[in-house]
Amino acid sequence: MARRILGAYMGDATVASLFSVKMLFYLTIIAFSITILALMGKSSDGIWVHSVPAADEYCAYKSSLQVNHHGIASYCKYIVAVAAIGLVISFFEFCYAFLGIFFKWQQKLWYVEGAINLFFWAWWLVGAIVATAARPSTGMLNLHNNRTEVNAVEALLWANMCLYFFNIFFAFFIYWVGETGGWIPTVADYRVLTSIEKDQNLSKSAEMHQEESA
């Protein structure tokens, strides 16, 4: 009895810990997304200067001293879209996950949250790969003195990808620990279950034999 109570307590404590980490990760994703938008939207940071005539618009991505001084604006627009949509979705996911405090059904639908997390893990992964592949040349970074800002955007994109990766598994682990207390079957458990199954089969056979005899 004491073992069951301890197991239930440990299960509840583990669920609470995993849930707290998952919610912290969602909040961190929200904060990182806002930071990306702030870095991309502020012309003085030198990543995307767009409050100028179209001919003078500058985007750091794909820019180089030899080929393209102005960069390609569509890359900046893409990264802003990645961060903006990611921000909205992560906010709604935070609110949805918060329901798990009050409603047990939310944890049972872990696969819904897990599927969304899987999709947005890929979402941020693609965004991070695009931003990294389209880095401005070293000469342009030195010219505009925006190396720190460019590195920060890339780092935050990769960080959000990692946080979503972990939250894929947290969604399942919270459900699993909540339902089983973190129970992992052992060889001894298998033997007990096998023994119970054999006893049940013997009981059924005995009942059938008695019915045939009668």
Side-chain angles (χ1 to χ4, degrees), residues 191-210:
R191 288 173 179 171
V192 170
L193 292 172
T194 303
S195 177
I196 292 172
E197 186 177 357
K198 286 181 178 178
D199 290 341
Q200 290 175 344
N201 290 335
L202 288 172
S203 297
K204 288 180 180 178
S205 297
E207 289 175 2
M208 291 175 63
H209 183 69
Q210 288 177 356

Side-chain angles (χ1 to χ4, degrees), residues 102-169:
F102 308 101
F103 303 105
K104 193 73 173 178
W105 57 262
Q106 192 276 339
Q107 292 182 12
K108 292 182 177 180
L109 294 177
W110 64 269
Y111 49 86
V112 174
E113 186 179 357
I116 295 172
N117 286 342
L118 178 61
F119 178 83
F120 276 91
W121 165 77
W123 175 270
W124 287 103
L125 174 63
V126 173
I129 291 172
V130 169
T132 302
R135 273 182 67 88
S137 67
T138 302
M140 293 300 289
L141 290 172
N142 294 334
L143 177 65
H144 290 275
N145 194 28
N146 59 0
R147 185 186 302 273
T148 300
E149 291 78 9
V150 170
N151 288 344
V153 169
E154 286 181 36
L156 294 173
L157 287 166
W158 284 108
N160 278 355
M161 181 274 294
C162 292
L163 293 172
Y164 260 109
F165 178 79
F166 287 119
N167 271 0
I168 293 170
F169 297 99

Side-chain angles (χ1 to χ4, degrees), residues 10-12 14-15 18 172-183:
M10 291 298 292
D12 290 341
T14 304
V15 167
L18 291 173
F172 168 72
F173 284 140
I174 290 170
Y175 163 76
W176 173 60
V177 175
E179 291 293 317
T180 68
W183 175 68

Side-chain angles (χ1 to χ4, degrees), residues 13-152:
T14 304
V15 167
S17 300
L18 291 173
F19 182 82
S20 298
V21 174
K22 182 181 76 169
M23 298 301 280
L24 178 62
F25 281 4
Y26 280 134
L27 288 175
T28 304
I29 291 168
I30 291 170
F32 285 176
S33 301
I34 292 172
T35 304
I36 292 170
L37 292 174
L39 289 169
M40 295 297 298
K42 192 176 179 182
S43 295
S44 59
D45 288 330
I47 298 179
W48 188 19
V49 182
H50 51 87
S51 56
V52 293
D56 297 324
E57 185 176 13
Y58 167 75
C59 174
Y61 296 100
K62 284 294 183 180
S63 63
S64 67
L65 291 175
Q66 293 78 20
V67 180
N68 188 354
H69 289 196
H70 292 282
I72 301 178
S74 58
Y75 278 87
C76 287
K77 294 175 183 177
Y78 168 73
I79 292 171
V80 168
V82 167
I85 295 173
L87 170 62
V88 172
I89 296 301
S90 58
F91 174 75
F92 280 111
E93 278 203 279
F94 175 84
C95 295
Y96 174 75
F98 190 75
L99 295 175
I101 298 176
F102 308 101
F103 303 105
K104 193 73 173 178
W105 57 262
Q106 192 276 339
Q107 292 182 12
K108 292 182 177 180
L109 294 177
W110 64 269
Y111 49 86
V112 174
E113 186 179 357
I116 295 172
N117 286 342
L118 178 61
F119 178 83
F120 276 91
W121 165 77
W123 175 270
W124 287 103
L125 174 63
V126 173
I129 291 172
V130 169
T132 302
R135 273 182 67 88
S137 67
T138 302
M140 293 300 289
L141 290 172
N142 294 334
L143 177 65
H144 290 275
N145 194 28
N146 59 0
R147 185 186 302 273
T148 300
E149 291 78 9
V150 170
N151 288 344

